[in-house]
Amino acid sequence: QVQLVESGGGLVQAGGSLRLSCAASGRTFFTYAMAWFRQAPGKEREFVATIKWSGGGTDYAESVKGRFTISRDNTKNTVYLQMNRLKPEDTAVYYCAAKEMASAFSNEYDYWGQGTQVTVSS
């Protein structure tokens, strides 16, 4: 029902910046919130940031708070993740996720993108 496509990943030196985009298509009018997760090799997928589609309220993981900013463009059905002062520890595959209204009171997300690689060199 909803398709998510991430873009903007790449290789950047420590201290640099990168901006990720996630375009949503399909039945997007049921979207309650969108989020970014990441997974490094050999590690569990972890939460990065989330934003409510209506109102724009945000939440961040402590590890990225103050460095990353999540935002959305309702007209374009797109969510962004501005990443500043990147660290080697930020290296991971970053995934975009969407939550429908029916899952508003759940920690689960309903749709996931294929991911985009972010590599931070030291």
Side-chain angles (χ1 to χ4, degrees):
Q1 296 180 323
V2 176
Q3 295 78 46
L4 306 175
V5 180
E6 303 98 332
S7 63
L11 193 157
V12 64
Q13 293 187 29
S17 299
L18 211 57
R19 187 197 193 205
L20 305 183
S21 298
C22 174
S25 61
R27 297 168 61 86
T28 58
F29 34 81
F30 292 115
T31 302
Y32 173 74
M34 294 185 71
W36 288 96
F37 289 77
R38 66 186 183 186
Q39 185 170 27
K43 298 180 64 179
E44 293 292 310
R45 181 174 298 182
E46 66 174 341
F47 166 79
V48 176
T50 186
I51 185 168
K52 292 182 179 179
W53 210 243
S54 179
T58 61
D59 191 24
Y60 298 89
E62 285 297 323
S63 60
V64 306
K65 193 171 297 182
R67 299 188 298 121
F68 292 8
T69 302
I70 187 171
S71 61
R72 86 269 195 262
D73 185 326
N74 301 59
T75 302
K76 297 180 179 179
N77 291 315
T78 301
V79 64
Y80 307 92
L81 184 67
Q82 179 65 48
M83 306 183 292
N84 299 322
R85 290 180 285 135
L86 284 162
K87 306 175 181 179
E89 306 93 273
D90 295 318
T91 295
V93 175
Y94 283 70
Y95 297 91
C96 177
K99 179 185 295 185
E100 292 189 329
M101 294 181 183
S103 301
F105 304 113
S106 172
N107 289 325
E108 303 298 320
Y109 283 78
D110 302 291
Y111 306 99
W112 296 82
Q114 293 299 309
T116 184
Q117 178 70 49
V118 172
T119 302
V120 184
S121 62
S122 59

